[in-house]
Structure formats: C-alpha cells, structure tokens
Amino acid sequence: MTIESAYAIATRGVLAEVQRGLDVFSTSQRMRDPAALALRAMRSVLVGDVPTAVAVLRRAADHAHEPVRRYLVDLLVPLLVSTEQLDDAERYVNAETDVGEEMDAPYLAARSVIAARRGDDHSSAQYGADAIAAARILDEPFMVARVLQRVSLAAFFRGDYAAAQEWALEAARAYERVGAYRSAAHAYSVLYAIAHGVIGSPDVARLYATRIATNAERCGDVSLQHVGLVAQMEIAAEAADERRLNSLRVRLLSNPVNEQFRERFSFVLAEALSNMWMGRFEAAHAMLLNLRGGETRSRPERALCDAMLALCAVALWNLDDVRRYVRSAFSTTAEHADPESLYDARRRQVARLMAAAASVLTGDAARGYRSLSHRFDPNGLFARIVSAGGMDERQTPELLLGYARAVNAVAGAAAANRPKAGLTPAEMQILRALPSGTTINRIAFDFGKSPKTVERQVQSIYGKLHVSNRAQAVQRARELGIYA
C-alpha cells in the first residue's frame, strides 16, 4: 500500500476501513512501513489513545524521507495542536519547505491554525485565505473540506465566529457527503462551541452536539462519540434538564470501552451540579475538589471550581471556606489570558457570577454586587436576579438555569444550617431592623411594641451575640449570615 492510499484511509477516519488497511501488512511491516504506521496511528486515535498516535507518527516522520514525510507530518500536526504542543507542530510544518501542489493547501491551513493559537491573527487570516484559494483550484471535494475544517478552526481561535461558522458548516456537510464522518464530527464541534459560547442557544448547541456523537458513532470513534455525548450532558446540566441529563449519564456509563469522559471537566461539573440540585453538597464538594486538582486545568476552570466550592460551603455554612474560595475565584477571574479560548471565557464569567452569588447569600451583598463589572454582567441582569434568597429562575438565561437551581438549593440549605445564636423570632425581627439606623421608638412603633420592650430585646440581642453596641451587633449578625 502506498503512503498516498494510507493517507486517504487515515484522513477518512473510519475504524473498519483503517483496520482493513492494516490487515494487508505483516506483523513486521506494521513496525516499520510508513503507510502501516500512519494507519496504526489513526487506529490509536479512533480508540481514544492520542498519545500513542503522536508517538507513532513522530517516529515515522522523523525517519521518513520526502515525499512520504509530508503525509505523515500532515497527520501529526493536528494532533500536536490539539494537545497544546504548538512548538513541535510549528517545527514540523516549517521543516517541510516543498510539499507539492496537492499538499500545499492543507499545510497552509495548518499554518493558519498555529498562527491563530499564537495570537498572530493577521498571519492566520492570510494563511487561511491562501489555503482556501489553493484548495478550490484543486477541486477535490475531500481536500477542500479538510482545508475548510482547519481554516474554520483558525477563525474560531481568532474570534471570527461568523467565518468559522460558515466554513465549518460547509466542511461538515461535504464530509458527510463523502462518508468522512469523523472529520464531520470535528467540524460540528466548532459549530457546537459557537452555539454554546457565543449564541447561547441550548437548542442549536444540542443539535450540533448530537451531530458530533452521531457522526462519531458512524465511524466507530468511541472517544469522539463521548465528546458529543458529554457536550449534550453539559447543555442538559446548564439548562437544568434533569431528565435528559440522567438519560445521557446512563448512556455514557453503559459503555465501558472508553472511560476518558469521566475525566472531562464538563462531565464532572454536570455531575456536581446535579448533586447540588438534590442537596448533596458534600458529594458535590468532593467532586469539585478533585476536579480542581487536575494537572491540565486552566485558570478559568479552577476559578469555576472555586466558585462552586464556595457555594457548597455556603450550603454547609462554613464561612471560613466561603471567604477563602470566593477570594480565590475573584482573584483568578480578574486575570485575563490573551488570547483566551471561548470555553475559558465563558467559564471565567460563570465563575465570577457564582462567586458573587456566594457573597450575596452570606450577607456580603455589597462585595458580591461590586464584583460584577460590565465585563462579567454587561446588562446588569445578574445583579437584578440574585438576592439573599437565591436567583429568579424566570429571568435567568437558559444556559444558566442549572446554576440558578444550584444557587437556590444552596440558599435553602443555608437557611436551615445558618446559626441563629439562640435568638428568638421576636429578637430576630428586631435585629433585622437595626441596620436601618432607626431609633428604638421608631422600631417600637413599626412593630407595635413599647419602647421598653424593644430596649429589653435589644439588650438581650447584645448579650447573645456577645457585643456591646448596635454597630457591633450588625457586624456580628452579618458574619453569622443572619441578614441573608
């Protein structure tokens, strides 16, 4: 089998075809023949073992000569980019100075992606335009789709979402027409990210997530199928669709072939949200603590874990932990990476909102609302719908409903767990009136009591709170969360 034939099979990404291609090689050939190594690497990718695929292709490319090497490098570079090995990806691409007319377009597209990841938007856009022009001249449907897929990914990283949508949709449809279902799934993943993070439509995002899973299932890529299923699970959790969330969980857990999805940030976060809805805050706390400790977590992901851990601490009324996690979430979200992925930008915003909610629920409303700058709450919506009693789900955007439900579950638990310092209901009523600064006579009039009765109750409050004046009583009550 020629390297050109192996490349065609590998880029189609259908497991059965890859295996049939490998079957023509003997055991010894599979260890040294470049075409066999290309197919071995793709088989590893299709079963979810990307590190092995990268290792096989590196070895093959490092020992190959032209024109074989150009095909191996074109298979390797996307894997290096997806695993954040940009320096190596750039080195391999730049080493190929003469790739030939048939490979010029995909190499230009690969350069467009790398430049976008580097933050060089101008070069990325130019490489992308050149790649599309070169591909159109070839007039080979699969190669055009391959180039469009890469260029759409580059546009996505540049933040040019309109172009990214246009090219990704064209690529996905072209791939489906020629039966390249794995590539179609990857093209739909760009569309999913935009629908979820930019458009904010659960229905559109769910459609593209379903297309990812369906196309991955068609080509036998279980790992990629789980990407689509976890994406659907993420939407269900964020939209508070408990029925769909449970159905997707069962579907994922019923397939033991690949368990990588259990390590995915979105999967564990969805599980934590579900547990919070049901009042299982200690279980959610354990999940989030473990999730936060992952070595590959981005700063926005850690910030979101901190914010959700703060909410769990509110529910359990552990104010020291609340302050610690809120402080960490605020500090981390104040820092902004440039460039920042769409996923990280969204998680940074949600983290800030949830940390603010934790502050409000514990009586520190001033700090909570003050933290919501225009960048995090551009229309002031969150500041209007969150209060000491929770969040107004009727006004909450669809893809924040799951978080609103968690906040409301926390508010309910906090009300039950919040210490009352032995105060009677009547004393609580008086204590809540103290921050207004009104006189004893006015408080007595408002509640239909005599001034002496109110004065006696105020002294009782001071004693139970171990304070000596009104200002100290108000401060102590805030610390205990009595005003929340």
mmCIF file of all heavy atoms in Angstrom, residues 80-98:
data_model
loop_
_atom_site.group_PDB
_atom_site.id
_atom_site.type_symbol
_atom_site.label_atom_id
_atom_site.label_comp_id
_atom_site.label_asym_id
_atom_site.label_seq_id
_atom_site.Cartn_x
_atom_site.Cartn_y
_atom_site.Cartn_z
ATOM 1 N N LEU A 80 -0.738 17.347 17.415
ATOM 2 C CA LEU A 80 0.128 18.178 18.249
ATOM 3 C C LEU A 80 -0.585 19.457 18.673
ATOM 4 O O LEU A 80 -0.483 19.892 19.825
ATOM 5 C CB LEU A 80 1.413 18.519 17.491
ATOM 6 C CG LEU A 80 2.367 17.350 17.196
ATOM 7 C CD1 LEU A 80 3.525 17.830 16.329
ATOM 8 C CD2 LEU A 80 2.882 16.734 18.488
ATOM 9 N N VAL A 81 -1.322 20.061 17.748
ATOM 10 C CA VAL A 81 -2.061 21.294 18.072
ATOM 11 C C VAL A 81 -3.130 21.005 19.120
ATOM 12 O O VAL A 81 -3.303 21.764 20.078
ATOM 13 C CB VAL A 81 -2.691 21.902 16.808
ATOM 14 C CG1 VAL A 81 -3.631 23.053 17.171
ATOM 15 C CG2 VAL A 81 -1.606 22.399 15.855
ATOM 16 N N SER A 82 -3.849 19.899 18.951
ATOM 17 C CA SER A 82 -4.937 19.570 19.879
ATOM 18 C C SER A 82 -4.428 19.240 21.272
ATOM 19 O O SER A 82 -5.177 19.347 22.246
ATOM 20 C CB SER A 82 -5.765 18.403 19.341
ATOM 21 O OG SER A 82 -5.024 17.193 19.371
ATOM 22 N N THR A 83 -3.163 18.848 21.379
ATOM 23 C CA THR A 83 -2.578 18.534 22.682
ATOM 24 C C THR A 83 -1.643 19.646 23.170
ATOM 25 O O THR A 83 -0.804 19.422 24.040
ATOM 26 C CB THR A 83 -1.819 17.188 22.627
ATOM 27 O OG1 THR A 83 -0.875 17.209 21.543
ATOM 28 C CG2 THR A 83 -2.784 16.038 22.432
ATOM 29 N N GLU A 84 -1.798 20.848 22.589
ATOM 30 C CA GLU A 84 -1.082 22.061 23.015
ATOM 31 C C GLU A 84 0.433 21.969 22.822
ATOM 32 O O GLU A 84 1.196 22.638 23.520
ATOM 33 C CB GLU A 84 -1.386 22.374 24.492
ATOM 34 C CG GLU A 84 -2.854 22.574 24.791
ATOM 35 C CD GLU A 84 -3.435 23.795 24.089
ATOM 36 O OE1 GLU A 84 -2.659 24.715 23.803
ATOM 37 O OE2 GLU A 84 -4.645 23.812 23.835
ATOM 38 N N GLN A 85 0.891 21.169 21.876
ATOM 39 C CA GLN A 85 2.327 21.081 21.574
ATOM 40 C C GLN A 85 2.626 21.949 20.344
ATOM 41 O O GLN A 85 3.063 21.471 19.299
ATOM 42 C CB GLN A 85 2.717 19.624 21.342
ATOM 43 C CG GLN A 85 2.449 18.716 22.543
ATOM 44 C CD GLN A 85 2.799 17.265 22.275
ATOM 45 O OE1 GLN A 85 3.965 16.913 22.087
ATOM 46 N NE2 GLN A 85 1.783 16.414 22.273
ATOM 47 N N LEU A 86 2.396 23.247 20.500
ATOM 48 C CA LEU A 86 2.475 24.172 19.371
ATOM 49 C C LEU A 86 3.898 24.318 18.829
ATOM 50 O O LEU A 86 4.088 24.446 17.612
ATOM 51 C CB LEU A 86 1.932 25.537 19.780
ATOM 52 C CG LEU A 86 0.431 25.623 20.074
ATOM 53 C CD1 LEU A 86 0.054 27.055 20.444
ATOM 54 C CD2 LEU A 86 -0.381 25.158 18.878
ATOM 55 N N ASP A 87 4.875 24.322 19.718
ATOM 56 C CA ASP A 87 6.259 24.473 19.245
ATOM 57 C C ASP A 87 6.645 23.335 18.311
ATOM 58 O O ASP A 87 7.252 23.555 17.255
ATOM 59 C CB ASP A 87 7.219 24.524 20.434
ATOM 60 C CG ASP A 87 7.098 25.813 21.227
ATOM 61 O OD1 ASP A 87 6.556 26.793 20.674
ATOM 62 O OD2 ASP A 87 7.525 25.839 22.392
ATOM 63 N N ASP A 88 6.283 22.120 18.703
ATOM 64 C CA ASP A 88 6.606 20.958 17.865
ATOM 65 C C ASP A 88 5.810 20.996 16.562
ATOM 66 O O ASP A 88 6.337 20.666 15.497
ATOM 67 C CB ASP A 88 6.317 19.660 18.615
ATOM 68 C CG ASP A 88 7.365 19.360 19.669
ATOM 69 O OD1 ASP A 88 8.407 20.033 19.674
ATOM 70 O OD2 ASP A 88 7.134 18.465 20.501
ATOM 71 N N ALA A 89 4.539 21.384 16.650
ATOM 72 C CA ALA A 89 3.715 21.464 15.447
ATOM 73 C C ALA A 89 4.331 22.450 14.450
ATOM 74 O O ALA A 89 4.438 22.156 13.248
ATOM 75 C CB ALA A 89 2.293 21.888 15.816
ATOM 76 N N GLU A 90 4.733 23.600 14.956
ATOM 77 C CA GLU A 90 5.326 24.621 14.086
ATOM 78 C C GLU A 90 6.650 24.138 13.495
ATOM 79 O O GLU A 90 6.951 24.389 12.325
ATOM 80 C CB GLU A 90 5.534 25.902 14.889
ATOM 81 C CG GLU A 90 5.820 27.123 14.044
ATOM 82 C CD GLU A 90 5.680 28.407 14.847
ATOM 83 O OE1 GLU A 90 5.865 28.372 16.079
ATOM 84 O OE2 GLU A 90 5.380 29.444 14.232
ATOM 85 N N ARG A 91 7.436 23.435 14.292
ATOM 86 C CA ARG A 91 8.729 22.930 13.810
ATOM 87 C C ARG A 91 8.537 21.933 12.675
ATOM 88 O O ARG A 91 9.230 22.008 11.652
ATOM 89 C CB ARG A 91 9.481 22.277 14.971
ATOM 90 C CG ARG A 91 10.812 21.650 14.579
ATOM 91 C CD ARG A 91 11.588 21.224 15.806
ATOM 92 N NE ARG A 91 10.861 20.256 16.613
ATOM 93 C CZ ARG A 91 10.825 18.951 16.353
ATOM 94 N NH1 ARG A 91 11.470 18.465 15.290
ATOM 95 N NH2 ARG A 91 10.172 18.130 17.139
ATOM 96 N N TYR A 92 7.580 21.018 12.823
ATOM 97 C CA TYR A 92 7.344 20.024 11.773
ATOM 98 C C TYR A 92 6.830 20.681 10.492
ATOM 99 O O TYR A 92 7.250 20.341 9.386
ATOM 100 C CB TYR A 92 6.339 18.976 12.251
ATOM 101 C CG TYR A 92 6.953 17.855 13.052
ATOM 102 C CD1 TYR A 92 6.770 17.777 14.429
ATOM 103 C CD2 TYR A 92 7.713 16.866 12.437
ATOM 104 C CE1 TYR A 92 7.326 16.751 15.175
ATOM 105 C CE2 TYR A 92 8.274 15.832 13.169
ATOM 106 C CZ TYR A 92 8.077 15.780 14.538
ATOM 107 O OH TYR A 92 8.640 14.759 15.258
ATOM 108 N N VAL A 93 5.909 21.633 10.633
ATOM 109 C CA VAL A 93 5.359 22.297 9.451
ATOM 110 C C VAL A 93 6.435 23.104 8.730
ATOM 111 O O VAL A 93 6.559 23.044 7.504
ATOM 112 C CB VAL A 93 4.177 23.216 9.843
ATOM 113 C CG1 VAL A 93 3.789 24.121 8.681
ATOM 114 C CG2 VAL A 93 2.973 22.382 10.246
ATOM 115 N N ASN A 94 7.236 23.852 9.479
ATOM 116 C CA ASN A 94 8.252 24.705 8.860
ATOM 117 C C ASN A 94 9.377 23.903 8.214
ATOM 118 O O ASN A 94 10.069 24.400 7.319
ATOM 119 C CB ASN A 94 8.831 25.663 9.895
ATOM 120 C CG ASN A 94 7.835 26.725 10.310
ATOM 121 O OD1 ASN A 94 6.867 26.989 9.589
ATOM 122 N ND2 ASN A 94 8.049 27.332 11.459
ATOM 123 N N ALA A 95 9.557 22.667 8.678
ATOM 124 C CA ALA A 95 10.612 21.830 8.096
ATOM 125 C C ALA A 95 10.263 21.367 6.688
ATOM 126 O O ALA A 95 11.146 20.994 5.911
ATOM 127 C CB ALA A 95 10.874 20.620 8.989
ATOM 128 N N GLU A 96 8.955 21.417 6.353
ATOM 129 C CA GLU A 96 8.513 20.979 5.021
ATOM 130 C C GLU A 96 8.475 22.200 4.102
ATOM 131 O O GLU A 96 7.507 22.947 4.079
ATOM 132 C CB GLU A 96 7.127 20.330 5.106
ATOM 133 C CG GLU A 96 7.054 19.137 6.066
ATOM 134 C CD GLU A 96 8.032 18.053 5.700
ATOM 135 O OE1 GLU A 96 8.022 17.606 4.531
ATOM 136 O OE2 GLU A 96 8.819 17.649 6.574
ATOM 137 N N THR A 97 9.567 22.408 3.363
ATOM 138 C CA THR A 97 9.667 23.605 2.511
ATOM 139 C C THR A 97 9.061 23.404 1.130
ATOM 140 O O THR A 97 8.723 24.377 0.456
ATOM 141 C CB THR A 97 11.135 24.013 2.359
ATOM 142 O OG1 THR A 97 11.883 22.902 1.842
ATOM 143 C CG2 THR A 97 11.714 24.427 3.719
ATOM 144 N N ASP A 98 8.915 22.168 0.696
ATOM 145 C CA ASP A 98 8.353 21.907 -0.636
ATOM 146 C C ASP A 98 7.423 20.709 -0.530
ATOM 147 O O ASP A 98 7.840 19.559 -0.661
ATOM 148 C CB ASP A 98 9.470 21.628 -1.648
ATOM 149 C CG ASP A 98 8.923 21.422 -3.064
ATOM 150 O OD1 ASP A 98 7.742 21.765 -3.291
ATOM 151 O OD2 ASP A 98 9.672 20.915 -3.916
#
